[in-house]
Amino acid sequence: MYILKFMPANKKYLMQSGWAQTSKVVASILGSLLASFGFHLALASYIWQTAIVATSVYSVFVLWGFLIIVVYWVKKPWVAWAILLSIIILSALAIYLSLH
């Protein structure tokens, strides 16, 4: 019978703070989802709405997955939040400008 022994993770690659880990998880799930929906809503406010809404059923999840990868690719949680919040704010600004 084989016994699987797992190699312990290198300590320099692990986050020490529980807040940093929680922040990255929340940024990857909630922040990425809000950014992807905001981007598609801003796009739909300028381009043919029915086409964007029809394709956003699939492309929101593709963009969401890409943004989750970006969040975990960035080392610091505050940088990930800065990227996501800038996408959300720019999308909100684009939607506001399209309405006025």
Side-chain angles (χ1 to χ4, degrees):
M1 180 173 184
Y2 293 103
I3 298 175
L4 295 175
K5 292 186 178 181
F6 295 104
M7 194 169 140
N10 194 347
K11 298 291 183 189
K12 69 179 181 177
Y13 296 116
L14 296 177
M15 283 189 232
Q16 301 298 327
S17 171
W19 288 105
Q21 291 174 350
T22 305
S23 179
K24 274 206 167 186
V25 169
V26 170
S28 68
I29 295 171
L30 184 64
S32 298
L33 192 61
L34 288 175
S36 62
F37 276 124
F39 175 76
H40 281 85
L41 286 174
L43 197 60
S45 65
Y46 285 103
I47 301 175
W48 191 31
Q49 294 176 355
T50 55
I52 297 297
V53 171
T55 60
S56 70
V57 172
Y58 302 107
S59 61
V60 160
F61 293 109
V62 172
L63 184 60
W64 185 34
F66 175 73
L67 289 175
I68 288 173
I69 292 170
V70 168
V71 166
Y72 283 107
W73 180 63
V74 174
K75 300 234 186 259
K76 305 275 185 196
W78 65 269
V79 175
W81 275 111
I83 292 169
L84 293 174
L85 286 176
S86 65
I87 293 171
I88 293 169
I89 290 170
L90 288 174
S91 298
L93 184 64
I95 292 168
Y96 176 77
L97 291 175
S98 72
L99 296 175
H100 286 78

